[in-house]
Amino acid sequence: MVIQQIDVIVIGAGPVGLFSVFECGMMGLKCHVIDSLEMIGGQCTALYPEKPIYDIPGFPTILAADLIHNIQKQIEPFKPVYHLGQQVLSLDKTSDGHWQLQTSAGTTILAKAVLIAAGVGAFGPNRPPLEGIEKFEGKSIHYYVKNRENFRDKRLVIAGGGDSAVDWAISLSEIAQKVTVIHRRPKFRAAPESEAKLKQLADDGVIDLVIPFQLEGLAGKEDHLEAVIVKSLEGDIKEIPADILLPFYGLAMDLGPIAHWGLQLNTTHIMVDPKDCSTSLPGIFAIGDIATYSHKLKLILTGFAEAAQAAHAIRAFVHPGEVYHFEYSTTSGVPSLKGS
């Protein structure tokens, strides 16, 4: 599939990439959004949807999932087109000055400008090295929680010791038949209040803590999991009845093909001019955690500001020589909502 005459390709559907759609939309620019995950939201969705965020202006506290939901609603008037579950494979300049991008799903997109908001690159789950794991993936083994209700009345084994494992253990214990948490250390790497709540639920008999143990094997028929086998540091083996295994071992992150596009890099980050987030290649811009410059603060808040700066620069690049009269949103409104 080839898509012609798009203004901006946004690579990355995390909060900063999504908000850039709003800022570009306010500039009258049409965006297509690409992400390697099958859902929008980036790490906010994949790792900590129920984690509170405290530094979003106007919200004393907001859950990561709610932040993504709100941004999605905010950009709906601009009708972004999503290409999810796809990784960008190549990016080349055409003879007429467009950027031609190809994805792992066979999609080819031509755009006047590219905005990279890919966090720290494409990422996917760190998969535990268990024999036969592939046949259970997507059926009895999941690396993300897309719909909490899918786990109602199930026997769940959650493996990991970080925020995702602890937060989801607490949350899913409300609806699951049984939740067992496997971790190789007595100490968890989660927020102290979350760890305290987890251990209280364990003391109350709501959650089983199997520590210090680690995953050893899987038992089941075809793609239906029946038990998870774990092993202690001393070699003791336990078999835990289970319908679902949720391994939360973080994400494997990689710049991937971006590293070979000829951009000026600083190790695993893209160097940009902080005044407009332009890269070393004309027409390519970078914002959010993947972009770096002197004294950069890695905050979602910083990425939002960079999205606004980049959108204004992209408009000037896409429409050279055209005079733009800046107006605040309270004056201009949202373009596609005017008169509605």
Side-chain angles (χ1 to χ4, degrees), residues 150-156 175-179 243-244:
N150 290 342
F151 304 100
R152 182 173 291 276
D153 299 325
K154 302 292 186 182
R155 298 171 300 173
L156 308 180
I175 62 172
Q177 180 187 136
K178 188 66 180 178
V179 172
D243 302 306
I244 300 289

Side-chain angles (χ1 to χ4, degrees), residues 200-212:
Q200 184 61 57
L201 289 171
D203 291 341
D204 295 341
V206 177
I207 290 175
D208 283 346
L209 293 183
V210 180
I211 53 178

Side-chain angles (χ1 to χ4, degrees), residues 127-306:
R127 302 163 71 236
L130 300 176
E131 184 177 353
I133 192 173
E134 297 84 3
K135 67 180 181 181
F136 296 108
E137 290 177 325
K139 309 285 195 313
S140 299
I141 296 179
H142 304 275
Y143 299 103
Y144 313 111
V145 177
K146 298 179 183 178
N147 185 345
R148 186 170 175 263
E149 282 298 311
N150 290 342
F151 304 100
R152 182 173 291 276
D153 299 325
K154 302 292 186 182
R155 298 171 300 173
L156 308 180
V157 171
I158 295 176
D163 283 316
S164 295
V166 172
D167 290 346
W168 279 121
I170 294 169
S171 175
L172 294 173
S173 69
E174 298 172 1
I175 62 172
Q177 180 187 136
K178 188 66 180 178
V179 172
T180 302
V181 177
I182 311 298
H183 187 41
R184 59 183 179 177
R185 299 186 184 94
K187 177 68 176 174
F188 288 82
R189 304 182 314 279
E193 61 272 19
S194 298
E195 182 177 5
K197 187 171 183 179
L198 177 76
K199 291 184 175 178
Q200 184 61 57
L201 289 171
D203 291 341
D204 295 341
V206 177
I207 290 175
D208 283 346
L209 293 183
V210 180
I211 53 178
F213 276 78
Q214 55 191 4
L215 297 179
E216 178 69 14
L218 305 168
K221 296 177 181 178
E222 297 180 350
D223 58 7
H224 177 66
L225 186 67
E226 295 178 345
V228 173
I229 302 165
V230 298
K231 183 178 181 180
S232 73
L233 300 179
E234 292 74 30
D236 297 327
I237 299 291
K238 286 187 178 183
E239 188 169 301
I240 303 169
D243 302 306
I244 300 289
L245 170 63
L246 299 172
F248 291 127
Y249 292 140
L251 299 176
M253 303 180 185
D254 186 4
L255 279 181
I258 293 175
H260 307 291
W261 291 352
L263 297 163
Q264 182 182 354
L265 302 177
N266 179 1
T267 61
T268 58
H269 297 79
I270 299 172
M271 296 293 298
V272 302
D273 185 335
K275 75 175 183 294
D276 59 7
C277 297
S278 59
T279 70
S280 56
L281 295 179
I284 299 182
F285 301 78
I287 60 176
D289 284 352
I290 200 168
T292 190
Y293 47 82
S294 179
H295 304 298
K296 163 79 177 246
L297 287 177
K298 282 195 173 184
L299 297 172
I300 294 176
L301 181 65
T302 303
F304 288 164
E306 292 169 350

